[in-house]
Structure formats: C-alpha cells, structure tokens
Amino acid sequence: MIIRKSQDRGHANHGWLDSYHSFSFADYYDPQWGGFRSLRVINEDRVAGGQGFGSHPHRDMEIITYVLSGQLRHKDSMGNEGIIRPGEIQKMSAGTGVVHSEFNASPKQEVHLLQIWIMPDTNGLKPAYEQDLLPEGQQNSLLVFPVSIHQDAKIFRGRLSKGHELGHKLNSGRGAWVQVISGELMVNGHAVNAGDAAIAEKETNLQFTAPNKCEFLLFDLK
C-alpha cells in the first residue's frame, strides 16, 4: 500500500481559486502521478465568493463533482442549470462534447468541492447529466455514489465516528484509491489524514478504522 500525503499534491493558488491536484493537471506535472487506472483527476478546490469557472468545453470524460460546503451554480450546453449543495453528487458524461460553467452561488461564502474525472470505457457517447443527494444521516457505512459511470468503477463515500471500523473486499485484479476528506483514518494499519490518499494495488481486503471522526471517498477500480 502506498500513502500519498496531502502536501505532496500539486498546488495552485490563483487568489479566487485555491486548488490541490492529486494527479498532473494544468501547470502541475508529475510523471509518477498521471492518474490511477481509469481515475484521471481529483482536484480539491476552494472557490471564493462570486467566482468560478467560466464556460469551457470537455469531451470523452466522466466528470463528477462532490460539494463539501457552500453552493455551486452549474450551467451547461445540454440545458441543465441549477445549484449543487453539500452532499450532492453531479455527474456529466462529456461524450461527444459539452460546454459548461461552474460558479460559486454565494457572493461571499467560499465553496469547497472535489472535482473528479474518470476516463470512460467508450468514447463518442451522447452527453448526459445526473445530480443526486447522498443521505446525510448515514454514518459508519460505505454509500455508493448514486450516478451511472461509463466505466467499471465505483465510488463510495465513507463516514466513520470515532472508534468505528468497517471493511471492503476488493475483487481479483482491482485496485483502490482512498481519498480522505476530513479527520483521521487508518487503512490496513496505515495512518491517513485530510488530503492524504491510500493506494492499494494488491490488497484483497481493506479495513478502515477511525481514530477520530472522518469522511473519505473510496474508488474501487478495474
């Protein structure tokens, strides 16, 4: 198991945007960290009030946004427009091409989010959009993201109270990326904290233990 520390990620602070990159992105390039299996991007973004990403295109990528705090305003060329709130999952299949913008819906409050890109198993798909809410009351369990992904990949959100444990079985040939959002977590005895990642290539079972309250994402990938 490999541990990727938070401070080893790429970092860019543009004033209105403070962003950490788990993988090579924009001006950050690290040949060791160009992606993990079909997982291509995990950006942890903090966007200042009233600021955001203007209209820009994507194609042939599964783009998933998970809002942690604040509110994000979305608009795209498919006609979708609305607000993404904490605990909500947004997924766009960019397919043959989509243009979208994402702005902080508040003029003052920061929005904190994770943007995730997964490479699809098929190019040239029809663009599609989904948005759903993960139940807030679920604790000490793994909840699968309720969106369809054009790839043999599953994303789970884990929330553990202090002292609690849970496990996850990895089938043969699969790998896992565990991204800690907040708190402290032990993964198969390895300590990982907010912003850190634990990467498993040859494990068959993952055991999660919380020395303190924590939240994390688990990517189970072919």
Side-chain angles (χ1 to χ4, degrees):
M1 182 168 286
I2 298 169
I3 306 301
R4 179 146 165 76
K5 302 298 291 183
S6 175
Q7 63 267 25
D8 294 332
R9 297 179 293 176
H11 181 225
N13 192 331
H14 303 284
W16 65 273
L17 169 66
D18 190 15
S19 184
Y20 284 87
H21 312 313
S22 293
F23 305 113
S24 296
F25 188 86
D27 292 333
Y28 167 64
Y29 175 70
D30 185 335
Q32 185 181 355
W33 297 105
F36 176 72
R37 299 187 178 221
S38 59
L39 182 59
R40 176 61 187 86
V41 167
I42 305 177
N43 288 348
E44 182 179 2
D45 293 339
R46 289 176 169 85
V47 182
Q51 301 294 316
F53 306 92
S55 294
H56 59 283
H58 290 287
R59 64 179 300 125
D60 293 326
M61 192 65 70
E62 302 290 279
I63 301 172
I64 299 144
T65 301
Y66 181 41
V67 174
L68 304 174
S69 63
Q71 298 184 5
L72 192 68
R73 183 180 300 278
H74 168 86
K75 186 176 182 179
D76 65 45
S77 56
M78 293 178 282
N80 301 295
E81 185 172 0
I83 304 294
I84 310 165
R85 295 175 172 84
E88 288 191 311
I89 310 301
Q90 176 216 64
K91 188 223 68 172
M92 285 194 307
S93 293
T96 54
V98 66
V99 176
H100 74 116
S101 63
E102 311 287 341
F103 276 86
N104 191 334
S106 168
K108 295 182 179 180
Q109 183 185 3
E110 178 184 87
V111 61
H112 183 197
L113 60 104
L114 292 178
Q115 184 177 101
I116 298 153
W117 294 5
I118 292 177
M119 295 181 291
D121 54 18
T122 304
N123 288 337
L125 296 167
K126 181 181 178 181
Y129 181 89
E130 296 178 45
Q131 185 174 332
D132 211 334
L133 176 68
L134 283 170
E136 287 300 301
Q138 296 286 348
Q139 195 79 355
N140 303 318
S141 61
L142 289 172
L143 293 180
V144 67
F145 273 21
V147 292
S148 58
I149 302 172
H150 294 287
Q151 181 55 262
D152 187 357
K154 288 186 177 180
I155 308 174
F156 300 85
R157 183 196 70 188
R159 284 181 172 173
L160 291 179
S161 302
K162 181 178 180 178
H164 279 264
E165 299 183 2
L166 58 82
H168 179 79
K169 179 177 174 58
L170 282 176
N171 291 330
S172 177
R174 299 185 70 84
W177 182 285
V178 181
Q179 187 72 35
V180 180
I181 295 171
S182 62
E184 301 175 67
L185 180 67
M186 301 291 291
V187 184
N188 289 13
H190 297 269
V192 279
N193 298 300
D196 296 348
I199 304 101
E201 284 275 30
K202 297 180 180 179
E203 306 284 342
T204 55
N205 290 286
L206 299 177
Q207 189 68 30
F208 303 108
T209 306
N212 284 295
K213 180 180 178 181
C214 67
E215 180 174 3
F216 62 95
L217 296 184
L218 163 63
F219 299 83
D220 185 327
L221 305 163
K222 181 179 178 181

